[in-house]
Amino acid sequence: MTQENANPEHEQYMRLALDLARRGIGAVEPNPAVGCVVVQSNQIIGKGWHERFGGPHAEINAISDCWKHGYNPAGSTLYLTLEPCTHYGKTPPCTESVVLAGICKVVFASHDPYEISGGGGELLQQAGLDIVSGVCRGEAEELNAAFFKHGRTGLPWVTLKWAQSIDGKMAWKEPPAEGDWISNEQSRRDVHRLRKRAQGILTGVDTVLHDNPLLTARIERERIERPALRVILDSRLRIPLDRRVVAAHDAPTMVVTTEAGIRAEPLKAQQLTAVGVEIVAVGEKEHRCDLMETLAMLGKRGIQRLLVEAGPTLVTEFLHQNLADEVHIYIAPVFLGSAGTADLSAQMTALPKCRMLKNVTSENFGNDICISGKLLFASDRA
């Protein structure tokens, strides 16, 4: 297997494959977004991407595209943003289809990090194909950051999302007549797209008590086939049975607590279990649920992408423990001053170190601005 050195032709086709892969974002999770281009005699004869969860993978769609347009892919080169898979899942192994199609060379960006599906490059090489890896690897792994983090560490990719006023307040003391939201309707629609991509949505019990959120993805004219697991951190089992995350059964709910919480509220634990809520006990850290243990437990459950929608205390704690990977901050054009509460800026002053963002984007949703970026760790700056 050849490790790629700079090759403008390979990079040109791989960047096209990356553009195709992006079309699957929001439809394929927790599968990775993958794109594929088939080239024969310096001509693109087929293109494809993984279009939906459970559907054919990118290379299968690209090979089908060749035949659709009257081209035989035999003897061609296949450019793929992720190593072809080797296992029977919702679809057969893509390595088999590549060999049967007569492809003679496969160029891919990054190795599959999962033991169950990885190793496709080596298998294809044993079958006699010419294999090149590492083309645009960094870009490919940025595109599927959650997939690669979970595959390599077993931990979910953690996205912190919150809405705030310009002066850092996350809530009204007395909500106005039009509602208690800080952000506008366009911003809230964007949050539902974030929820759709996640396999878990986490908040603290205080948010459940004060806001009574539903924590589901609701997108107009779209059916959410795989609702995310709602995860409530509640170290002392204070959650009432009438909260919507308990009473509404349109998505599964897990309450993460402690052994002390279960001992203190055994009847509550039984009542929650009886209505279908899963109770999981983790260790304590400063009288709260241990966040790292919680993330490890969720990772073992297959939660690849975790969206955290919480108040200032929990948001700051994720940052303080370096457990967050990404932020989406919706800023409304208002200074709440004394009319606001849940002061995030006051909590942030306790952070021991400066935290910076990379790959920063800003987007307008009406008059709101959303600032997004990946958190930069010390190792990234080295």
Side-chain angles (χ1 to χ4, degrees):
M1 190 180 305
T2 304
Q3 184 68 30
E4 170 64 11
N5 294 318
N7 183 318
E9 184 177 285
H10 284 348
E11 291 182 4
Q12 173 190 347
Y13 291 128
M14 189 62 74
R15 289 204 164 89
L16 175 56
L18 286 165
D19 288 340
L20 291 168
R22 292 184 181 96
R23 299 186 186 185
I25 292 175
V28 301
E29 290 83 359
N31 287 353
V34 180
C36 181
V37 175
V38 184
V39 177
Q40 191 176 77
S41 302
N42 297 317
Q43 177 186 359
I44 295 174
I45 63 170
K47 297 185 289 186
W49 66 95
H50 186 29
E51 299 178 11
R52 60 179 180 82
F53 178 80
H57 289 184
E59 50 268 62
I60 307 304
N61 286 332
I63 291 169
S64 297
D65 192 52
C66 294
W67 292 109
K68 177 182 176 182
H69 291 93
Y71 295 105
N72 185 339
S76 61
T77 298
L78 185 146
Y79 290 86
L80 190 66
T81 58
L82 180 69
E83 180 181 32
C85 69
T86 59
H87 76 304
Y88 282 90
K90 292 185 177 296
T91 60
C94 292
T95 47
E96 289 186 5
S97 298
V98 171
V99 172
L100 289 172
I103 303 293
C104 69
K105 184 174 184 176
V106 173
V107 181
F108 63 85
S110 186
H111 290 274
D112 190 319
Y114 288 88
E115 183 177 349
I116 189 174
S117 54
E122 184 177 348
L123 192 153
L124 289 174
Q125 188 173 43
Q126 292 170 1
L129 280 72
D130 185 13
I131 304 297
V132 177
S133 66
V135 179
C136 301
R137 175 182 172 181
E139 295 170 55
E141 294 192 2
E142 284 281 352
L143 180 66
N144 290 298
F147 173 80
F148 283 99
K149 180 186 178 184
H150 186 261
R152 289 168 177 164
T153 69
L155 296 173
W157 178 269
V158 177
T159 299
L160 301 182
K161 163 265 159 185
W162 70 86
Q164 66 170 70
S165 61
I166 293 174
D167 53 343
K169 308 297 176 58
M170 297 174 71
W172 299 84
K173 284 184 179 177
E174 296 183 10
E178 58 268 24
D180 58 355
W181 298 286
I182 295 291
S183 57
N184 63 23
E185 185 177 352
Q186 296 98 311
S187 293
R188 297 196 296 275
R189 282 201 295 265
D190 190 62
V191 170
H192 284 281
R193 286 190 285 270
L194 290 179
R195 289 178 176 179
K196 180 186 175 184
R197 293 191 68 191
Q199 293 81 57
I201 303 171
L202 181 147
T203 194
V205 67
D206 286 337
T207 296
V208 173
L209 291 171
H210 297 153
D211 299 340
N212 196 18
L214 191 55
L215 295 183
T216 57
R218 301 181 298 281
I219 300 174
E220 189 176 359
R221 294 189 297 275
E222 188 169 333
R223 183 173 178 268
I224 307 300
E225 296 182 1
R226 303 178 309 281
L229 174 68
R230 298 177 291 202
V231 182
I232 316 302
L233 298 185
D234 184 4
S235 62
R236 293 300 179 265
L237 283 185
R238 294 186 290 135
I239 186 170
L241 296 174
D242 64 354
R243 298 291 89 177
R244 294 203 292 172
V245 291
V246 174
H249 300 293
D250 44 357
T253 298
M254 171 191 289
V255 171
V256 178
T257 188
T258 62
E259 293 293 348
I262 294 174
R263 287 195 301 270
E265 296 286 348
L267 178 58
K268 176 72 71 65
Q270 292 174 10
Q271 291 171 327
L272 289 168
T273 301
V275 295
V277 174
E278 182 179 4
I279 306 293
V280 177
V282 298
E284 285 191 48
K285 189 172 183 178
E286 297 180 358
H287 306 294
R288 297 173 181 159
C289 297
D290 187 304
L291 292 184
M292 184 62 194
E293 186 177 335
T294 299
L295 293 180
M297 177 270 296
L298 292 173
K300 289 179 180 178
R301 299 290 186 95
I303 303 297
Q304 185 186 106
R305 184 180 292 271
L306 181 69
L307 179 63
V308 176
E309 300 188 40
T313 300
L314 190 51
V315 163
T316 304
E317 193 58 34
F318 269 96
L319 292 171
H320 178 72
Q321 295 187 37
N322 289 337
L323 296 177
D325 300 287
E326 180 181 32
V327 297
H328 287 255
I329 309 166
Y330 297 84
I331 304 173
V334 58
F335 293 93
L336 286 183
S338 61
T341 186
D343 191 343
L344 180 64
S345 59
Q347 295 271 5
M348 291 283 190
T349 59
L351 289 176
K353 294 181 181 179
C354 166
R355 300 301 306 276
M356 299 182 67
L357 299 179
K358 62 179 179 178
N359 301 341
V360 177
T361 63
S362 63
E363 189 172 358
N364 289 79
F365 294 103
N367 290 326
D368 289 359
I369 296 175
C370 179
I371 297 175
S372 306
K374 295 180 173 66
L375 284 154
L376 192 63
F377 294 90
S379 58
D380 297 320
R381 299 194 293 270

